[in-house]
Amino acid sequence: MDDRQTQQEPATSRPRVFRDVLENLSPGYFALTMGTGIVSIGLHEAGWDLISSVLLVIAAMSYVVLWVLYIWRAIAFSEVMKAELRRPEMAFGYFTVVAGTDVLAVRLDAEGYSALSMVLVALAAVLWFIFGYVLPWQVFLTRDGKPIQSRVNGTWFIWAVASQSLAIGLSVVQSHLPQGESLIGLLAVLSWSVGVALYAGIAMLVLLRIVHFGMTPKEFEPPYWVIMGAMAIAVVAGSKIVGMESTPMVDATRALIAGTVAAFWSYCLWLIPFLVGAGVWRHFVHRVPVAYTPALWSIVFPVGMFAVASINLGRVDSLPIVESIGHGTLIVAVLVWAVVFFAMIRHYVLLAWRSRTRG
């Protein structure tokens, strides 16, 4: 009997490890697709097509795999997911699904897959509309005895990122749908405007949280980099809207939006030393260990998005120094992506090896 049990343990331990991974899958794991996709877009715009194509394949594969895992998790661990939707510190991570879908759509459109791109943008629009009402409703109406304000964190900015990503996606597919130009222009301006308003509101909530409750080094997690990424994507979205075909809504707001993008970019640049300094404070001063978590993809996306924003702004407004900053940041983004990607591979390889060894 003991021998049979010993022989059966490897067969049962590995599925158990997978179930644990699936049960604890991060709500914000589509940041993997976001980060990989935006670095691929930056490389494509810089003319590094081979590396860009490799990252596109990885982004597409991650997107499909994550959808399978999320659906599987929704079926197998529905109660866990329902609980996450009511937790202020986790619920807004699901907006990475919207942003990841839009980022992949934009990159696929650049490769000529316009039909697939339009399908993905339409899916992102539906998800953005549903999540934009359901998730805040779940969070704000939940009362579990803990103050919501003390649980506001960097993942809340992904709500604004999702709105801006939709604006970019709509601006890209507009040329493929000439009969719907006016509606697409309206929706693009709407989602850009909502994203800017959300950013301002969430920034105030985060500031109030820090003032009233403080923040420990351990609490300053990677998603706070989205503070910069959410504004960088507003720069890209604004530039894309300014370049859209003439429609009543686009024409009415073109000058206003064009006047904001340079100011938004400058704010992003100002934030970078602050975020780097906070990382030094967290890991070197207070010795918070550095280990792989899915939240690290929340650093990759903002760095990549700032690179793309700088390249776009530099080209559109004829600012060579800004474009040069973009190319330099793109190199950093590739390096950060590589470190996080291989850390992720190592993490899951070691997890599989340890489960096999224990068996």
Side-chain angles (χ1 to χ4, degrees):
M1 178 68 73
D2 292 341
D3 289 340
R4 284 197 298 271
Q5 288 179 342
T6 302
Q7 292 173 359
Q8 289 173 357
E9 280 180 3
T12 58
S13 62
R14 285 192 289 275
R16 189 179 303 118
V17 170
F18 175 76
R19 285 183 62 84
D20 290 342
V21 170
L22 187 64
E23 182 178 4
N24 296 294
L25 190 68
S26 170
Y29 225 133
F30 270 87
L32 163 59
T33 304
M34 292 167 58
T36 306
I38 196 60
V39 175
S40 177
I41 290 171
L43 290 169
H44 177 73
E45 294 190 356
W48 299 350
D49 291 332
L50 178 60
I51 306 176
S52 176
S53 297
V54 172
L55 265 65
L56 170 59
V57 172
I58 295 173
M61 291 175 61
S62 70
Y63 184 77
V64 173
V65 170
L66 286 169
W67 263 116
V68 171
L69 293 177
Y70 270 50
I71 293 172
W72 193 341
R73 185 171 186 250
I75 296 171
F77 302 102
S78 58
E79 293 303 318
V80 174
M81 293 189 74
K82 288 178 182 177
E84 288 173 350
L85 294 174
R86 297 181 175 91
R87 294 183 62 183
E89 61 270 53
M90 300 184 72
F92 292 97
Y94 281 105
F95 276 108
T96 60
V97 180
V98 179
T101 301
D102 279 315
V103 169
L104 183 59
V106 171
R107 183 62 185 91
L108 287 171
D109 186 80
E111 289 294 315
Y113 298 104
S114 56
L116 181 56
S117 176
M118 288 187 287
V119 170
L120 289 174
V121 171
L123 173 62
V126 172
L127 292 174
W128 176 74
F129 183 83
I130 295 173
F131 287 2
Y133 290 102
V134 172
L135 292 182
W137 181 278
Q138 291 289 320
V139 169
F140 295 142
L141 294 187
T142 297
R143 291 295 181 269
D144 57 5
K146 301 178 184 178
I148 291 178
Q149 188 177 340
S150 66
R151 300 154 76 183
V152 175
N153 60 29
T155 63
W156 284 47
F157 285 99
I158 302 174
W159 188 5
V161 170
S163 299
Q164 301 292 2
S165 72
L166 180 59
I168 297 174
L170 290 167
S171 70
V172 166
V173 302
Q174 185 195 39
S175 61
H176 306 310
L177 298 167
Q179 296 178 343
E181 282 184 353
S182 295
L183 177 60
I184 292 174
L186 172 63
L187 292 176
V189 172
L190 183 150
S191 55
W192 182 87
S193 303
V194 169
V196 172
L198 287 172
Y199 185 95
I202 293 167
M204 287 299 299
L205 289 174
V206 170
L207 182 60
L208 288 171
R209 176 255 164 97
I210 295 173
V211 169
H212 287 289
F213 298 96
M215 182 175 294
T216 65
K218 188 175 182 180
E219 290 174 329
F220 193 87
E221 297 178 319
Y224 278 100
W225 274 80
V226 186
I227 295 174
M228 187 270 286
M231 188 55 73
I233 196 173
V235 174
V236 177
S239 299
K240 293 292 185 183
I241 291 173
V242 170
M244 289 178 71
E245 296 294 330
S246 177
T247 69
M249 180 59 77
V250 170
D251 292 342
T253 57
R254 198 188 304 273
L256 172 64
I257 294 175
T260 65
V261 291
F264 287 172
W265 180 87
S266 299
Y267 173 67
C268 292
L269 184 64
W270 176 80
L271 277 173
I272 292 175
F274 166 76
L275 293 168
V276 173
V280 172
W281 171 72
R282 169 181 161 91
H283 296 295
F284 291 94
V285 177
H286 291 279
R287 307 289 183 179
V288 176
V290 179
Y292 173 77
T293 67
L296 287 175
W297 289 107
S298 297
I299 298 178
V300 178
F301 176 77
V303 177
M305 183 55 75
F306 180 74
V308 172
S310 301
I311 292 172
N312 284 351
L313 181 63
R315 291 175 178 174
V316 170
D317 290 352
S318 300
L319 300 169
I321 188 172
V322 174
E323 185 175 354
S324 297
I325 291 173
H327 285 288
T329 308
L330 181 60
I331 296 173
V332 175
V334 172
L335 294 175
V336 173
W337 177 88
V339 169
V340 176
F341 181 77
F342 287 109
M344 179 184 70
I345 298 298
R346 178 180 179 273
H347 172 77
Y348 288 112
V349 168
L350 287 177
L351 191 63
W353 175 258
R354 288 167 184 164
S355 67
R356 184 184 183 89
T357 303
R358 285 197 300 267

